[in-house]
Amino acid sequence: MTVPTERTLILVKPDGVERGLSGEILRRIEAKGYTLVAVELKSATPELLEQHYAEHVGKPFYQPLVDFMLSGPVLAIVAEGDRVIEGFRSLAGATDPTTAAPGTIRGDLGRHWPTKVIQNLVHGSDSEESAAREIAIWFPAL
Ligand code: IDP
Ligand code: MG
């Protein structure tokens, strides 16, 4: 019996889209061997972000995070592959781009900016439960 392969929700955040890094980030996902299931440029809304970032509502960086995510379009991606949730988190690197390991998206392409929110180019689901929830938020048709 084949084990169903895993899916994750990836976002190229507004800083990544604005800097023209969407292609480079897609390239890294594909080069790793993951399959692109859906790719769409979207504009977030406060309601959608409240669902997406439910775990962060009420934290000091929540409103700056929402404002940042509304500052421009995001590229929403569903990628598929064995252990892709963990694998993309590994490709993305640590949350803080200054200390994210070289070789990762955040480590190679990100840096600190003097803003209230950490701008770090990408989002990736952190568990199977989050992935299912986030895919339903961004791609209800899937
Ligand atoms: P992750 O994106 O690496 O999973 P989370 O802790 O889930 O990190 O935080 C979500 C996003 O909120 C981060 O990617 C970053 O953009 C922002 N963020 C997280 N922690 C802070 C903080 O302490 N100050 C400002 N922004 C933060
Ligand atoms: Mg997270």
Side-chain angles (χ1 to χ4, degrees), residues 120-133:
N120 54 10
L121 302 168
V122 288
H123 165 84
S125 307
D126 63 8
S127 65
E128 282 184 49
E129 191 189 10
S130 306
R133 196 175 59 79

Side-chain angles (χ1 to χ4, degrees), residues 40-53:
E40 198 174 325
L41 198 64
K42 292 176 181 271
S43 294
T45 63
E47 296 72 29
L48 187 153
L49 292 169
E50 192 175 330
Q51 291 179 55
H52 176 80
Y53 281 127

Side-chain angles (χ1 to χ4, degrees), residues 13 53 55-56 59 61 65 68 89 93-95 106 116-120 122-124 126:
K13 295 182 179 183
Y53 281 127
E55 63 175 336
H56 297 307
K59 292 186 184 170
F61 62 84
L65 177 59
F68 165 53
R89 298 275 296 181
T95 305
R106 289 163 169 173
K116 285 183 181 156
V117 67
I118 296 171
Q119 302 195 10
N120 54 10
V122 288
H123 165 84
D126 63 8

Side-chain angles (χ1 to χ4, degrees), residues 5-6 25-36 79-84 87 91:
T5 193
E6 200 171 85
I25 291 164
L26 285 169
R27 187 195 67 73
R28 288 176 182 228
I29 296 166
E30 288 193 298
K32 182 81 172 175
Y34 298 133
T35 304
L36 300 175
E80 189 172 77
D82 293 328
R83 295 177 68 190
V84 66
L91 282 184

